[in-house]
Amino acid sequence: MERRTRVRFAPSPTGPLHIGGVRTALYNYLYAKQKGGDFIIRIEDTDSHRFVEGAEKYIIDSLNWCGIKADEGVDENGKVVETPSERHPHAPYRQSQRKGIYKKYADQLVAAGYAYYAFDTPEELEKARAEVETKGETFIYNQLTRKTLRNSLTVSKEECDKLILERTDWTIRFKMPEDTVVKMDDLIRGHIEVNTDTLDDKVLWKRNDELPTYHLANIVDDHLMEITEVIRGEEWLPSLPLHYLLYKAFGWEDTMPRFAHLPLLLKPDGKGKLSKRDGDKLGFPVFPLKWVNAQGEVSRGYREDGYFPEAFVNMLAMLGWNPGDDREMFTIDELVDAFSLERVLKAGARFNPDKAKWYNKEYLRMKSDKELTDLFVPILEQHGLQIVECAKCALVAGSEISVQGADFTNHIFTVGYVEKVVSLIKERADFVKDFWDIAPYLFISPDEFAAFGVKAGAFSEKSQAARPVDPRAKVYDDSLTAPFLAKDVDKFWKKENYELAFKAADFVRSYTGDFSKEAFESALEEYIKSNEWPLGKVMNCMRMALAGASSGLGIADIVTFIGKKEVAKRMEFIKGKLI
RNA sequence: GCUGGGUUCGUAUAACGGUUAGUACUCAAGAUUCUCAAUCUUGCAAUAUGAGUUCGAUUCUCGUACCCAGUACCA
């Protein structure tokens, strides 16, 4: 009979979950949902020494942000699940809280001859290791060496019993069979065979802290929780033979889960697997959420960097898996439908920050203006602007909100104004947080840039590189002077061009026609051309005056947004600044 | 070192043993524009290597190189 699909994500709370871990959780989730089964979160905290405060909460928060919801596990709506219930029949899901259940399984293995007591102290083992290493070999606790070490196989029954009672630092080790070929099947890698002579006698139980090691706890819990597929990182592949043998030793072969070992996420330069330190070094986050460690060191997170969770999840899903065709945009529900372990790749994938950014851009464009506005408003408020629902809602006495919805004097804007700005600039942005940098001049006048911490000259990243400042280009005071190339100064930023721009501004002031962008744009261009002025030069000087930058939105856009009054004000300002 | 896993443009990837080796990102060029973006078009660019099997190999087998993981009383 087919068993109900049950998979688990079983992280260890030793620090923040990096994106490789998130992907493992994601694939587990996708698999479970596609099969109509359960996705379980279990916390493997059997190493008390490496426990990190807050890590478990971080893991849960991260998965929630990604939209990866567990059917069963440690957490329910922010509360730790302590006792079994209908929804969480196997609670608790923290191995430290389950410590009472593992010992009997370890004992069972000893009784059946699959495991034995080992009395070697860590110091003794360390010494044995060091000794062998001087000969250039590696010490392995296995069928060859266990005969020379102190354990229940080499000491008498009486002494063994005595040591078990007296000492508190013994362990139970798995007795790896000799010269046996373990035949395994992996859902991703196919058939694998390993000879047990290359394996060691792993510790299963630690007397000193009364806890099992990963290997024992993992097998016991997967069995008790009726896990049907174990989907985990490739770093576990070398311990797969041990896990197979453990299932066999327990007599649980019939219900042994199937295994799938996922390829690792590699650094962008291809050297080694992605690790926690890489992010800040390589300039992109390796964590879903921001993390501050005990030393106060901050690691960036995708959420804080402005990524949409949908984009992050989509990007992550495509690293090591593909649907078999050219599609690459997937919602998490679409991923559930399309996912299959058969199409997961064997080779490790290098993480590509550019593609992550591209995904975010694509998702940003799919969002409605309303949604983006809601995200942008708090940023504007942080910059000291007041955003109001309607023109009459302004709290400042005497504020005059224009028909467009802007009061530049009192820094008040209507939501409608913000939404129109968003609609105009969203295609130029990768992130919502870019909105402000793209067009600050739609909210504040260039004469206030310094007060608002805005850098004049909104150059693209590319053209920003090392531009020498030409003194003749100084139209604002030093703090606001954008760096110009000398050839551009001769081409655009001459006083005579500004004179023409002022005349064009006079035309704007007297313009009484349709003030929509299209109508106004053609009227302005027609006016400039009819006077036989150089269109590009006049327009650029206007932009410098109105936007405080040599590049940016179209003049007609800027003018119709800020309004005639503000145009006149900004023109007057720059007049006094020209040298 | 040993054991296991892996290897298609710079990156992510596609290709019943038969394709002109496709797509996306990045990059470059052109178009467009008042500038910058955006957009559109075009372009650059790959089967690690040597044998074998086969009429035919990116695809199957073996060797070599390189990369990764594991080699803990960590997970």
Side-chain angles (χ1 to χ4, degrees):
Chain A
M1 190 192 132
E2 270 299 288
R3 288 198 292 164
R4 178 181 175 82
T5 294
R6 286 171 62 79
V7 300
R8 85 299 192 278
F9 178 58
S12 171
T14 54
L17 187 65
H18 77 52
I19 53 180
V22 176
R23 193 195 55 175
T24 302
L26 174 66
Y27 283 6
N28 270 284
Y29 172 84
L30 297 177
Y31 184 83
K33 293 300 109 186
Q34 186 184 75
K35 306 280 181 190
D38 303 323
F39 171 64
I40 298 150
I41 295 180
R42 185 174 72 218
I43 299 295
E44 310 224 324
D45 52 350
T46 52
D47 182 2
S48 48
H49 308 288
R50 292 209 309 158
F51 178 81
V52 172
E53 189 68 41
E56 182 182 316
K57 184 178 186 306
Y58 179 94
I59 291 166
I60 303 293
D61 288 347
S62 298
L63 297 183
N64 280 338
W65 179 65
C66 294
I68 301 171
K69 302 264 192 302
D71 299 294
E72 190 179 319
V74 272
D75 173 85
E76 180 164 346
N77 301 324
K79 274 180 64 187
V80 177
V81 175
E82 309 271 359
T83 52
S85 61
E86 195 176 328
R87 180 171 160 196
H88 306 281
H90 300 283
Y93 292 87
R94 270 186 198 149
Q95 291 182 330
S96 60
Q97 292 178 303
R98 301 167 63 78
K99 62 191 295 184
I101 71 175
Y102 304 106
K103 181 67 190 339
K104 74 170 188 197
Y105 291 102
D107 290 341
Q108 182 189 329
L109 291 182
V110 174
Y114 289 112
Y116 60 90
Y117 296 97
F119 303 107
D120 321 278
T121 64
E123 293 74 33
E124 283 166 6
L125 290 175
E126 201 55 52
K127 218 180 115 195
R129 242 177 225 118
E131 243 169 63
V132 177
E133 267 161 31
T134 57
K135 288 185 258 171
E137 290 162 27
T138 313
F139 173 83
I140 306 176
Y141 205 125
N142 63 6
Q143 90 279 152
L144 259 30
T145 54
R146 70 180 165 230
K147 289 166 190 147
T148 68
L149 295 157
R150 276 227 294 176
N151 50 53
S152 58
L153 303 169
T154 58
V155 302
S156 66
K157 175 86 170 65
E158 293 72 37
E159 193 183 350
C160 183
D161 291 343
K162 196 169 147 245
L163 285 169
I164 290 169
L165 282 176
E166 284 174 2
R167 299 255 306 257
T168 57
D169 59 352
W170 46 264
T171 60
I172 294 176
R173 281 180 183 268
F174 186 71
K175 191 177 168 191
M176 188 57 71
E178 287 180 41
D179 194 22
T180 307
V181 175
V182 185
K183 298 180 177 182
M184 300 160 287
D185 288 294
D186 184 276
L187 261 14
I188 294 168
R189 279 148 220 286
H191 191 72
I192 300 167
E193 295 190 0
V194 173
N195 189 298
T196 52
D197 283 353
T198 65
L199 272 20
D200 63 344
D201 292 356
K202 278 273 179 285
V203 170
L204 300 178
W205 172 267
K206 303 168 278 182
R207 169 62 178 88
N208 56 12
D209 44 21
E210 298 274 346
L211 279 167
T213 61
Y214 168 83
H215 302 290
L216 209 228
N218 186 268
I219 266 68
V220 168
D221 280 343
D222 281 349
H223 171 72
L224 295 177
M225 295 181 184
E226 301 171 72
I227 299 303
T228 53
E229 277 83 18
V230 170
I231 303 166
R232 61 190 356 174
E234 193 186 342
E235 69 268 26
W236 293 110
L237 198 50
S239 30
L240 185 58
L242 169 67
H243 298 171
Y244 257 68
L245 292 168
L246 280 169
Y247 276 101
K248 196 175 165 206
F250 280 122
W252 298 336
E253 281 166 300
D254 293 347
T255 55
M256 183 175 78
R258 298 191 295 167
F259 291 86
H261 289 88
L262 268 19
L264 264 18
L265 250 36
L266 274 19
K267 305 176 202 233
D269 60 14
K271 299 282 176 209
K273 80 173 177 180
L274 199 58
S275 65
K276 307 187 171 178
R277 296 228 148 216
D278 295 330
D280 300 320
K281 213 167 52 198
L282 299 164
F284 62 88
V286 291
F287 298 119
L289 274 37
K290 186 172 102 176
W291 171 262
V292 184
N293 72 4
Q295 286 73 47
E297 290 166 347
V298 178
S299 299
R300 289 158 58 186
Y302 279 86
R303 182 177 66 184
E304 289 73 14
D305 268 26
Y307 282 83
F308 295 115
E310 307 94 297
F312 175 69
V313 165
N314 196 154
M315 176 273 295
L316 221 42
M318 304 305 286
L319 235 40
W321 171 86
N322 70 80
D325 52 42
D326 288 341
R327 288 177 298 161
E328 51 184 351
M329 298 305 289
F330 288 89
T331 65
I332 196 160
D333 289 334
E334 287 165 347
L335 284 170
V336 167
D337 285 337
F339 186 75
S340 70
L341 284 176
E342 290 70 38
R343 292 206 67 89
V344 172
L345 281 112
K346 296 186 182 81
R350 257 161 278 262
F351 176 74
N352 182 198
D354 279 329
K355 191 84 183 203
K357 202 184 262 190
W358 176 81
Y359 266 112
N360 207 69
K361 185 174 82 179
E362 293 296 307
Y363 274 86
L364 187 138
R365 284 162 185 224
M366 288 192 282
K367 300 265 181 195
S368 70
D369 294 344
K370 175 81 180 64
E371 224 173 323
L372 294 172
T373 300
D374 289 344
L375 295 168
F376 186 34
V377 163
I379 296 175
L380 291 170
E381 288 171 343
Q382 274 169 29
H383 280 97
L385 308 182
Q386 191 188 353
I387 310 302
V388 294
E389 278 304 316
C390 61
K392 287 176 186 163
C393 302
L395 297 171
V396 178
S399 76
E400 274 181 49
I401 293 189
S402 66
V403 288
Q404 287 87 359
D407 175 352
F408 287 91
T409 312
N410 296 299
H411 308 114
I412 303 171
F413 301 88
T414 63
V415 175
Y417 180 85
V418 177
E419 191 168 329
K420 272 187 246 150
V421 170
V422 165
S423 150
L424 180 66
I425 65 176
K426 71 172 182 180
E427 68 175 21
R428 310 168 86 97
D430 294 333
F431 302 97
V432 172
K433 63 174 183 178
D434 294 343
F435 288 175
W436 172 258
D437 296 323
I438 287 170
Y441 44 84
L442 293 182
F443 298 98
I444 50 174
S445 304
D447 61 298
E448 296 178 304
F449 274 10
F452 279 82
V454 174
K455 261 184 87 181
F459 291 103
S460 72
E461 231 172 272
K462 231 190 307 181
S463 59
Q464 221 159 30
R467 305 191 78 162
V469 176
D470 189 305
R472 292 169 300 162
K474 281 197 178 183
V475 290
Y476 296 150
D477 44 47
D478 283 348
S479 64
L480 293 173
T481 303
F484 298 118
L485 293 173
K487 68 179 170 74
D488 289 340
V489 172
D490 290 333
K491 199 168 160 194
F492 297 112
W493 318 117
K494 287 199 240 174
K495 200 160 184 175
E496 59 194 79
N497 291 333
Y498 276 103
E499 297 297 342
L500 298 178
F502 297 144
K503 287 179 184 161
D506 289 339
F507 168 79
V508 172
R509 193 175 318 180
S510 60
Y511 179 76
T512 52
D514 182 356
F515 207 50
S516 71
K517 186 217 163 179
E518 288 74 20
F520 171 73
E521 183 167 46
S522 51
L524 178 62
E525 280 185 22
E526 205 173 301
Y527 175 75
I528 293 170
K529 281 176 185 163
S530 68
N531 284 299
E532 296 185 349
W533 296 338
L535 184 68
K537 291 174 186 177
V538 175
M539 289 297 212
N540 274 299
C541 285
M542 285 186 85
R543 180 176 297 101
M544 184 55 74
L546 300 176
S550 59
S551 63
L553 296 170
I555 298 303
D557 279 322
I558 298 172
V559 170
T560 52
F561 264 88
I562 66 177
K564 290 185 207 173
K565 194 177 138 200
E566 184 68 12
V567 169
K569 193 188 112 197
R570 293 185 187 187
M571 280 296 173
E572 279 310 307
F573 171 71
I574 203 169
K575 257 185 204 172
K577 289 288 176 181
L578 285 176
I579 53 174

